[in-house]
Amino acid sequence: MFIDVVKIKIKAGDGGDGAVAFHREKYVAAGGPDGGDGGKGGDIIFQADDHLSTLIDFRYKTKYAAERGENGSGRNCTGKNGQDLVIKVPRGTIIRELQTGKIMADISGDEPVIIAHGGRGGKGNARFATPTRQIPRFSKPGFAGEAFEVQLELKLLADVGLVGFPNVGKSTLISVVSAAKPKIANYHFTTLTPVLGVVKIDEGNSFVMADIPGLIEGASDGVGLGHDFLRHVERCRLIVHVVDVSGSEGRDPIEDFNLINQELKNFSEDLAQRPQIVVGNKSDMATQEQIDTLRTYIEQQGYHFLSISAATTLGTKELVSTIANALRDLPPIREYEPDYVPLEISEEEQQSFEIRLEDGIYYIDAPFLERILRTVNIDDYESLQYFQRVLRNTGIIARLEEMGIQEGDTVDLFGWQFDFVY
């Protein structure tokens, strides 16, 4: 079964809790606090796997959670970090945050991508010892790991997409020019899943072709199978539009050509502007007049036209050569840039922070800020401005000012220290 859209829930591991412990040793009168920090929770990581071609496994398992970090212990022992959870998906899978629809990642490359970060471990009581507080009897719990409900959407990675009405010969064509073996029969909707084939031109030179099934009038509105598979054309660098030039089923090839292009436009304006080669298939069954009529119309629309017969391989070599030449001048397969997914901070969370002044340092304890800090690039001015706005909008800067902070004073946030600037 070909499954290309699924919804799952992912949860990164929570951080382990810090420990409250004191050093006790014979002949040592006051050993002092030695509670260690908790371990970091495991991340949720997505990675492409070329052995996978469908998302069917996610139909049966929909919840994924990484390991929690271990708690700290005495003797300043830090808890073990939680194990990361690596989720393998087919190459070309797009991950969207379900609530906002924003793209979190495009798993098209070889590098693994962290989608949900594990929580930091809480600090043990050894971290809170100061000259004025020598016996801290408290520690901090670990931070929660990120959790998302996401949609996985597979968009095939292919250089060329074959489109056209059912039974025009797309499956025959891809079987002739590549090693793909789709089901071929003389009835509509023979192909029920997209088929990928690698077309080899010469040593070290090839391209990937995809047979996109089920396009009929109304496909962009969900009619037939086209609505399910139009998304797979979106990445293609070049569209090869296959038309039955013979009109063997009593259809008008010009009308079919216009209807399919309208469906592409209805689905995506960008897709409608994609470079396109029009192929008049079944030419062995057509008259020269039929071929010339279609050629004249297509070329008037500004498209390149080729007449072939996939069943007899007539003209297929010329088609492969034409496609290869066109691809040399086209940009690489499209990859989607991640969108910024804003973090929702409830009013209750905004009020849940504490600030303490110890030895001239202002310590901010605000669990919700840890999630925001992960998204901030300290070296980027705009990103830093965003973080400053969060500090002001949540009332943290106002509280610091009430406590008498001055420009140049040191502020500590999760162990990261910086100078306060108005």
Side-chain angles (χ1 to χ4, degrees):
M1 183 183 296
F2 183 78
I3 303 296
D4 57 358
V5 177
V6 293
K7 298 173 184 177
I8 63 171
K9 293 180 179 180
I10 56 175
K11 171 71 168 70
D14 296 338
D17 298 336
V20 176
F22 296 93
H23 181 68
R24 291 178 174 83
E25 189 176 345
K26 194 174 183 179
Y27 307 120
V28 178
D34 67 352
D37 299 340
K40 175 185 171 297
D43 298 328
I44 298 286
I45 300 173
F46 281 79
Q47 188 167 26
D49 186 341
D50 291 325
H51 294 97
L52 300 175
S53 58
T54 174
L55 299 172
I56 190 170
D57 291 345
F58 298 96
R59 272 287 185 91
Y60 307 108
K61 183 180 178 183
T62 59
K63 295 181 180 180
Y64 295 82
E67 194 175 60
R68 185 183 188 276
E70 290 185 358
N71 296 337
S73 58
R75 299 188 179 181
N76 286 313
C77 290
T78 300
K80 182 181 177 182
N81 291 340
Q83 187 172 358
D84 296 335
L85 177 61
V86 179
I87 301 175
K88 294 187 177 181
V89 293
R91 193 178 299 274
T93 300
I94 290 175
I95 303 172
R96 296 182 186 271
E97 204 273 325
L98 193 60
Q99 187 174 4
T100 63
K102 300 282 189 178
I103 294 176
M104 303 179 75
D106 181 354
I107 313 299
S108 296
D110 295 323
E111 292 298 317
V113 180
I114 299 175
I115 298 299
H117 294 80
R120 289 165 57 109
K123 293 181 179 179
N125 68 335
R127 293 276 196 146
F128 300 102
T130 67
T132 56
R133 185 175 59 205
Q134 297 181 1
I135 311 177
R137 299 185 181 278
F138 63 90
S139 62
K140 291 294 182 180
F143 292 94
E146 290 181 323
F148 298 100
E149 190 170 3
V150 299
Q151 175 175 287
L152 308 184
E153 181 180 339
L154 177 59
K155 292 178 184 283
L156 294 179
L157 294 174
D159 299 288
V160 180
L162 296 180
V163 301
F165 269 83
N167 214 28
V168 295
K170 300 189 300 297
S171 297
T172 303
L173 176 57
I174 198 171
S175 70
V176 166
V177 300
S178 75
K181 301 298 179 187
K183 183 179 180 181
I184 299 173
N186 189 28
Y187 56 83
H188 291 187
F189 298 110
T190 310
T191 306
L192 298 178
T193 65
V195 176
L196 287 179
V198 178
V199 182
K200 292 185 178 179
I201 303 164
D202 49 44
E203 189 66 31
N205 190 8
S206 63
F207 60 84
V208 178
M209 178 180 285
D211 173 9
I212 310 299
L215 296 190
I216 60 174
E217 185 177 3
S220 59
D221 297 322
V223 178
L225 304 175
H227 183 72
D228 293 328
F229 298 131
L230 270 168
R231 70 174 64 89
H232 297 295
V233 195
E234 285 190 285
R235 289 192 193 265
C236 295
R237 303 158 63 196
L238 177 69
I239 294 174
V240 172
H241 191 155
V242 184
V243 181
D244 178 1
V245 66
S246 70
S248 60
E249 297 191 339
R251 302 185 59 87
D252 181 357
I254 292 178
E255 182 182 352
D256 284 359
F257 168 79
N258 289 327
L259 284 173
I260 291 295
N261 274 351
Q262 187 60 48
E263 292 306 319
L264 296 178
K265 184 177 181 180
N266 291 345
F267 184 78
S268 165
E269 283 286 347
D270 178 58
L271 194 56
Q273 302 301 319
R274 203 67 50 83
Q276 189 174 134
I277 294 174
V278 182
V279 174
N281 191 29
K282 303 186 181 182
S283 62
D284 57 321
M285 301 167 57
T287 65
Q288 190 60 46
E289 182 182 357
Q290 287 176 309
I291 296 172
D292 291 341
T293 299
L294 182 59
R295 182 191 302 276
T296 299
Y297 180 81
I298 296 301
E299 290 180 348
Q300 285 176 348
Q301 308 304 309
Y303 297 106
H304 188 79
F305 177 82
L306 286 172
S307 173
I308 72 164
S309 170
T312 65
T313 71
L314 177 67
T316 55
K317 287 185 178 180
E318 182 187 355
L319 173 61
V320 169
S321 177
T322 301
I323 292 172
N325 290 333
L327 290 175
R328 290 192 186 100
D329 300 324
L330 295 177
I333 293 175
R334 176 182 179 184
E335 290 192 22
Y336 292 83
E337 291 294 326
D339 297 318
Y340 170 68
V341 179
L343 294 171
E344 298 289 336
I345 306 173
S346 67
E347 291 186 11
E348 183 180 354
E349 282 184 307
Q350 292 182 27
Q351 303 301 320
S352 61
F353 67 86
E354 296 179 1
I355 303 176
R356 65 182 188 279
L357 176 61
E358 294 181 4
D359 301 327
I361 299 176
Y362 292 85
Y363 291 89
I364 300 176
D365 184 10
F368 67 88
L369 279 181
E370 192 216 13
R371 290 180 293 149
I372 294 175
L373 195 58
R374 288 196 189 112
T375 68
V376 174
N377 179 3
I378 302 302
D379 298 323
D380 181 68
Y381 178 71
E382 291 186 5
S383 183
L384 200 56
Q385 273 194 322
Y386 160 74
F387 185 58
Q388 290 173 336
R389 285 197 301 273
V390 171
L391 293 178
R392 191 168 294 279
N393 293 340
T394 54
I396 290 176
I397 288 183
R399 181 75 61 82
L400 288 169
E401 290 172 343
E402 289 174 6
M403 296 174 67
I405 194 170
Q406 300 295 318
E407 187 162 357
D409 287 351
T410 301
V411 177
D412 183 286
L413 183 61
F414 309 122
W416 175 53
Q417 294 190 347
F418 57 93
D419 294 334
F420 181 78
V421 178
Y422 282 103

